[in-house]
Amino acid sequence: MRRNLFNLSSRTTLVTLLGALALSACSEQAPQQGQSMPPAQVEILEATPVDAPFVISLPATVSGSKEVEIRARVSGVIESRNFSEGQKVAAGESLFTIDLAPYQLAYEQAQAAVKAAQARLEQAQRDSKRLAKLREDKSVSQRDYDNALSSVDIAKADLSASESQLREAKLNLDYAQVKAPVSGIMGREQVSEGTYVSGPEVLLTQMTAFDPVRVRFGLSEREQLTMRQEQKRGLLTLPADGKWQTQLRLQDGSAYEHIGEVNFTDVRINANTGTSEFQAIVPNPDFSLRPGQFVQVELIGAVRKGTFAVPQRAVLDNGTGKFVYVVGQNEQGMTIARPAPVEVGEWYRKQDGDTVENLWIIRSGLQEGDQVIVEGMARIFFPGMPVTVNNAKG
């Protein structure tokens, strides 16, 4: 019996000790469980409606504004080629020289013919004046006087024909110097020096006009329809007569220095791509753009009315859609980060002096006055996390 009592007493003591240890452990862990994660330090931007530029960015291809075939207008032997293949030339520069001697000779003969015709006209005019006085005295017949007047008219016609032949001879002499009709880059020669060319039938070379260049791209019918609908609702202002301005972005992302303008929009829709073709003319005075070059064209000139714009870094993606964090209050009155799903539109660049900021248009999901978190999103580990606003950006 004593043994059983001892065992019972020992068990009671053991249970008491274990209970005391458990209470002690709970009392030590309770403060740790009661502790909460410190609020994340964030910065905000208050959502305010603005009129933001509506910019469409599309892939595009550069082509020369003119592809010109160079042909001689007169026949003859090519004496010299006056350019290097791939050389930049200005309009009016000589490209080929055809044997000038026969054309120079024809020009001089035409000059002599003009002088002879002028002399004949002067002689006929003197004769008509003399006969006019004799006719007053009835010393010559009316027929002789009429013949004298006709001789003057014939001499004038001969002079006019001679002057036309002189102009033709001058043109042929000028055409013997084959000149560049436009400024551009020369292609490869097709005919060598010393070759006889029969005239326009023979292709001498080709050249491409690089200033300005044409930039061609396609815009989807769906996007055009959306723009027209938003324009009707007063949400979007489009350029008058479709005269979009264009800003080119090169392969390294840099902006091309010259602004172009859309000068052609095809009314037809490509059945394979669902797009209609646009063409812009862009200045290229230094020939830095080349045919076949791929660029990104930004259509500018439209304005989206009363929209919201937030920095691109503030827009996050959870795999099911895009959202931003806005500052809100929980049931306990704490300031927290609340996720707000948003529908995004296009990007655009806002430049303030030397500072450029990339913004994203928010089409829906925000209300005026919402405090959008734009800095410190990486410190927000879960929706509803407490936050502390350091400063407000508006």
Side-chain angles (χ1 to χ4, degrees):
M1 180 64 68
R2 288 179 180 177
R3 187 174 183 179
N4 291 339
L5 289 174
F6 175 77
N7 290 339
L8 180 60
S9 177
S10 299
R11 290 172 183 171
T12 303
T13 303
L14 180 60
V15 170
T16 302
L17 289 173
L18 291 174
L21 291 173
L23 289 174
S24 175
C26 290
S27 64
E28 291 179 356
Q29 293 178 3
Q32 295 178 0
Q33 292 176 353
Q35 292 177 356
S36 60
M37 187 173 295
Q41 305 294 314
V42 298
E43 296 180 5
I44 64 169
L45 173 71
E46 185 172 326
T48 304
V50 295
D51 292 343
F54 176 76
V55 181
I56 306 174
S57 184
L58 300 163
T61 306
V62 176
S63 63
S65 57
K66 295 179 182 177
E67 302 287 340
V68 183
E69 293 184 344
I70 304 301
R71 300 174 184 268
R73 297 191 182 188
V74 295
S75 60
V77 176
I78 295 179
E79 286 191 337
S80 65
R81 171 165 63 88
N82 307 323
F83 68 92
S84 298
E85 295 172 330
Q87 173 188 346
K88 298 178 183 178
V89 299
E93 286 189 30
S94 177
L95 304 179
F96 293 92
T97 299
I98 295 176
D99 185 11
L100 299 176
Y103 297 104
Q104 182 65 40
L105 179 60
Y107 177 65
E108 293 172 357
Q109 291 174 342
Q111 284 180 316
V114 168
K115 291 180 180 179
Q118 287 175 337
R120 290 193 295 270
L121 174 59
E122 292 171 359
Q123 179 63 43
Q125 288 173 337
R126 287 194 297 268
D127 291 342
S128 66
K129 288 181 180 179
R130 186 173 61 254
L131 290 177
K133 294 180 179 179
L134 294 175
R135 178 58 186 161
E136 291 176 357
D137 298 336
K138 307 268 185 209
S139 299
V140 296
S141 65
Q142 182 66 40
R143 179 177 180 181
D144 291 339
Y145 179 61
D146 290 342
N147 289 339
L149 293 177
S150 297
S151 297
V152 171
D153 292 338
I154 293 172
K156 288 181 179 179
D158 289 343
L159 177 59
S160 179
S162 298
E163 289 174 340
S164 297
Q165 292 172 357
L166 177 61
R167 288 194 295 271
E168 182 181 7
K170 182 64 168 60
L171 277 177
N172 290 336
L173 181 61
D174 291 340
Y175 289 156
Q177 288 282 0
V178 182
K179 298 178 181 180
V182 295
S183 299
I185 300 293
M186 298 306 305
R188 301 184 65 177
E189 71 168 6
Q190 303 294 323
V191 178
S192 301
E193 297 172 346
T195 304
Y196 175 83
V197 294
S198 57
E201 297 82 7
V202 180
L203 176 65
L204 303 181
T205 187
Q206 293 176 303
M207 66 179 301
T208 303
F210 282 171
D211 184 25
V213 292
R214 293 179 292 187
V215 178
R216 291 174 176 170
F217 53 94
L219 183 61
S220 71
E221 173 61 16
R222 175 180 295 180
E223 192 157 10
Q224 294 182 60
L225 179 60
T226 300
M227 289 190 298
R228 289 193 292 267
Q229 292 174 342
E230 292 184 344
Q231 183 183 33
K232 289 181 180 179
R233 297 202 303 269
L235 303 177
L236 191 65
T237 301
L238 299 178
D241 300 325
K243 297 296 184 181
W244 294 87
Q245 300 293 305
T246 59
Q247 170 71 71
L248 300 187
R249 296 273 167 189
L250 306 180
Q251 290 294 322
D252 60 358
S254 62
Y256 180 64
E257 59 182 325
H258 298 289
I259 301 296
E261 183 179 80
V262 172
N263 72 327
F264 169 74
T265 303
D266 198 342
V267 296
R268 297 169 297 178
I269 302 297
N270 188 311
N272 296 323
T273 63
T275 64
S276 56
E277 185 181 63
F278 281 59
Q279 177 180 281
I281 299 297
V282 181
N284 189 32
D286 54 358
F287 293 2
S288 59
L289 298 176
R290 297 298 182 93
Q293 183 176 350
F294 289 98
V295 295
Q296 200 76 10
V297 61
E298 294 178 350
L299 296 180
I300 54 180
V303 177
R304 190 175 287 283
K305 310 291 288 186
T307 189
F308 299 107
V310 300
Q312 290 180 9
R313 62 182 179 277
V315 180
L316 308 175
D317 196 322
N318 59 9
T320 60
K322 298 189 183 299
F323 69 97
V324 297
Y325 279 116
V326 297
V327 173
Q329 302 290 325
N330 63 9
E331 295 178 354
Q332 290 76 32
M334 298 178 62
T335 301
I336 62 171
R338 178 175 56 83
V342 294
E343 179 187 355
V344 298
E346 63 281 354
W347 292 2
Y348 84 96
R349 293 176 176 85
K350 179 182 179 182
Q351 186 162 359
D352 185 7
D354 295 333
T355 303
V356 178
E357 186 175 25
N358 293 322
L359 302 176
W360 212 329
I361 297 297
I362 305 299
R363 291 187 173 179
S364 64
L366 289 180
Q367 300 293 327
E368 184 174 359
D370 283 348
Q371 296 179 331
V372 181
I373 297 176
V374 296
E375 294 288 353
M377 289 81 69
R379 305 186 189 100
I380 303 173
F381 300 118
F382 54 87
M385 180 174 174
V387 296
T388 297
V389 177
N390 283 341
N391 64 302
K393 293 184 178 181

